[in-house]
């Protein structure tokens, strides 16, 4: 019988599954560079990455497995055919990474949005043929946010297959940033995640697709602080009340959140007040965040998050095992 109750000395985690772990394959960087697109945002240094760097970091942190994502995915300006080809190349790379390192990696597929038909075709291939573990999305595609009813066909397919959606923030639509010289992750990304939550809530996405699991990174961004305001819309407008589920706060609390960038006292207090322990997941944000920061976040969350012993096991790996049964060794 496995012993999952003792944490190795110096490591924040026991047998963690990291659901927020970026990879930056050389071919991906080279393709985007050729298109004139930075892999990361202006003002943010491009991190280096290779497989050994991820595995070494994981071993130092007590992370058993990482469900990796390629961010920001497929460039939105591509036409449908090259977008589909780009997505296929990335997804086949991800499948190879998973196959080469059994038990160490899962992967979120990328999809060629905004082309719904080809995105659905690629999702079915990635899920049913390649066996990828979920879908990595960005918060909006040319201003169309995740949660918009236009994306219902994807939600339906993902819910039926029980493939989680990992929704990472990106830049808001053009022209909406008041401080373009300040890197967007420091102030825009939390608001992007709130916009996603608002779409999911007021379109009753989780009620219409009860098997759909949605993961929001960075402790849910601004959602813990804004959840009460989002849920109270029906108090000021009968029209809004009709759009809300019966229990708006409970609906928001069905969202999963990871703990990336939540190690400070203020973010952690909001996260713990909002999210049930059953909905919180380990997330490192490696290598876009330095390893030392990630390590400090992990230790800070455990030291000050007031998780009891059972909740620590849920956070460490049991919640993620429910979402990614292949990584638990127990297939659904």
């Amino acid at each position: 019988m496995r012993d999952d109750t003792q944490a190795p000395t110096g490591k924040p985690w026991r047998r963690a599954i990291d659901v927020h772990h970026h990879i930056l394959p050389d071919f991906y960087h080279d393709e985007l560079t050729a298109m004139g697109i930075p892999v990361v945002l202006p003002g943010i240094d491009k991190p280096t990455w290779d497989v050994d760097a991820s595995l070494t970091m994981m071993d130092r942190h007590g992370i058993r497995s990482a469900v990796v994502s390629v961010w920001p995915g497929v460039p939105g300006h591509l036409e449908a055919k090259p977008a589909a080809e780009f997505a296929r190349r990335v997804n086949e790379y991800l499948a190879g990474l998973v196959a080469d390192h059994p038990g160490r990696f899962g992967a979120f597929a990328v999809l060629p949005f905004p082309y719904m038909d080809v995105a659905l075709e690629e999702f079915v291939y990635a899920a049913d043929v390649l066996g990828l573990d979920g879908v990595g999305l960005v918060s909006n595609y040319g201003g169309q946010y995740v949660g918009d009813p236009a994306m219902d066909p994807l939600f339906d397919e993902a819910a039926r297959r029980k493939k989680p959606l990992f929704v990472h923030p990106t830049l808001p639509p053009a022209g909406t940033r008041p401080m373009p010289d300040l890197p967007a992750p420091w102030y825009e990304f939390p608001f992007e995640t709130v916009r996603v939550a608002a779409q999911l809530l007021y379109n009753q996405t989780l009620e219409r697709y009860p098997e759909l699991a949605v993961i929001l990174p960075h402790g849910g961004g601004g959602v813990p602080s804004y959840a009460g305001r989002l849920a109270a819309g029906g108090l000021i407008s009968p029209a809004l009340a009709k759009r809300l589920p019966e229990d708006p706060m409970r609906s928001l609390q069905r969202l999963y959140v990871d703990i990336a960038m939540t190690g400070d006292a203020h973010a952690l207090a909001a996260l713990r007040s909002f999210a049930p322990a059953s909905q919180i997941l380990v997330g490192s944000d490696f290598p876009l965040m330095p390893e030392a920061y990630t390590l400090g976040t992990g230790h800070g969350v455990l030291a000050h998050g007031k998780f009891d012993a059972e909740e620590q096991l849920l956070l460490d790996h049991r919640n993620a095992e429910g979402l990614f049964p292949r990584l638990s060794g127990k297939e659904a």
Side-chain angles (χ1 to χ4, degrees):
M1 180 179 293
R2 77 186 191 194
D3 179 2
D4 60 2
T5 62
Q6 298 299 315
T9 302
K11 301 178 182 181
W13 310 116
R14 298 169 170 87
R15 311 180 66 249
I17 298 175
D18 176 5
V19 305
H20 186 168
H21 194 110
H22 299 284
I23 66 170
L24 297 165
D26 287 341
F27 82 87
Y28 180 77
H29 173 260
D30 292 345
E31 289 280 351
L32 265 64
T33 299
M35 298 176 194
I37 302 171
V39 174
V40 291
L41 295 165
I44 303 292
D45 291 338
K46 183 186 87 67
T48 58
W49 176 83
D50 59 36
V51 176
D52 288 341
S54 280
L55 291 170
T56 299
M57 172 269 182
M58 291 160 63
D59 290 341
R60 281 196 289 254
H61 290 235
I63 294 170
R64 178 202 348 163
S65 306
V67 188
V68 301
S69 53
V70 176
W71 183 85
V74 180
H77 72 281
L78 295 177
E79 297 294 330
K81 186 174 187 295
E85 292 171 347
F86 194 95
R88 180 63 55 89
R89 184 178 181 190
V90 172
N91 289 333
E92 290 184 338
Y93 176 90
L94 290 170
L97 177 69
V98 170
D100 289 345
H101 303 276
R104 299 310 306 272
F105 293 112
F108 291 110
V110 302
L111 299 180
F113 278 109
Y115 309 104
M116 180 57 74
D117 289 346
V118 291
L120 285 177
E121 182 179 345
E122 184 60 26
F123 169 71
V124 171
Y125 180 82
D128 296 356
V129 179
L130 298 180
L132 299 187
D133 301 276
V135 179
L137 301 171
V138 296
S139 49
N140 82 87
Y141 293 89
Q144 182 181 84
Y145 278 82
V146 173
D148 189 293
M151 299 184 74
D152 280 357
L154 172 64
F155 304 149
D156 182 48
E157 294 291 342
R160 288 197 299 108
R161 289 172 171 79
K162 297 185 178 180
K163 296 291 186 180
L165 308 181
F166 177 77
V167 188
H168 197 286
T170 188
L171 291 172
T176 62
R177 293 178 61 203
M179 299 179 67
D181 57 331
L182 183 65
W186 304 145
Y187 73 110
E188 286 288 0
F189 277 18
F191 298 120
E192 277 290 286
T193 303
V194 172
R195 293 172 184 127
V196 169
Q199 288 275 356
L200 295 169
L201 180 66
Y202 280 88
N203 292 317
Q204 297 193 32
T205 305
L206 298 183
E207 286 66 39
R208 292 184 295 110
Y209 302 102
E211 297 297 321
L212 183 66
V214 179
I215 303 169
L216 302 181
H218 313 124
V223 174
S225 297
Y226 281 86
R229 293 178 65 149
L230 291 175
L235 300 177
I236 62 171
S237 166
L240 291 180
K242 291 179 181 179
R243 295 179 57 188
L244 284 169
E246 182 177 350
D247 188 341
M249 184 62 74
R250 173 59 187 143
S251 182
L252 290 170
Q253 290 175 321
R254 287 175 54 194
L255 296 164
Y256 288 87
V257 297
D258 73 47
I259 55 88
M261 302 184 74
T262 65
D264 69 275
H266 307 294
L268 188 55
L271 171 64
R272 287 295 277 143
S273 175
F274 166 73
S278 62
Q279 307 303 110
I280 306 176
L281 305 162
V282 171
S284 69
D285 215 343
F286 180 83
L288 296 185
M289 291 302 295
E291 185 178 347
Y293 181 90
T294 294
L295 193 66
T297 294
H299 282 298
V301 166
L302 292 176
H304 306 297
K306 299 180 181 179
F307 293 93
D308 63 28
E310 179 62 24
E311 289 173 337
Q312 287 193 28
L313 294 179
L314 292 175
L315 166 62
D316 186 87
H317 57 274
R318 289 182 179 169
N319 289 337
E321 285 178 341
L323 294 175
F324 307 104
R326 183 176 60 79
L327 296 178
S328 72
K330 306 173 195 174
E331 292 285 354

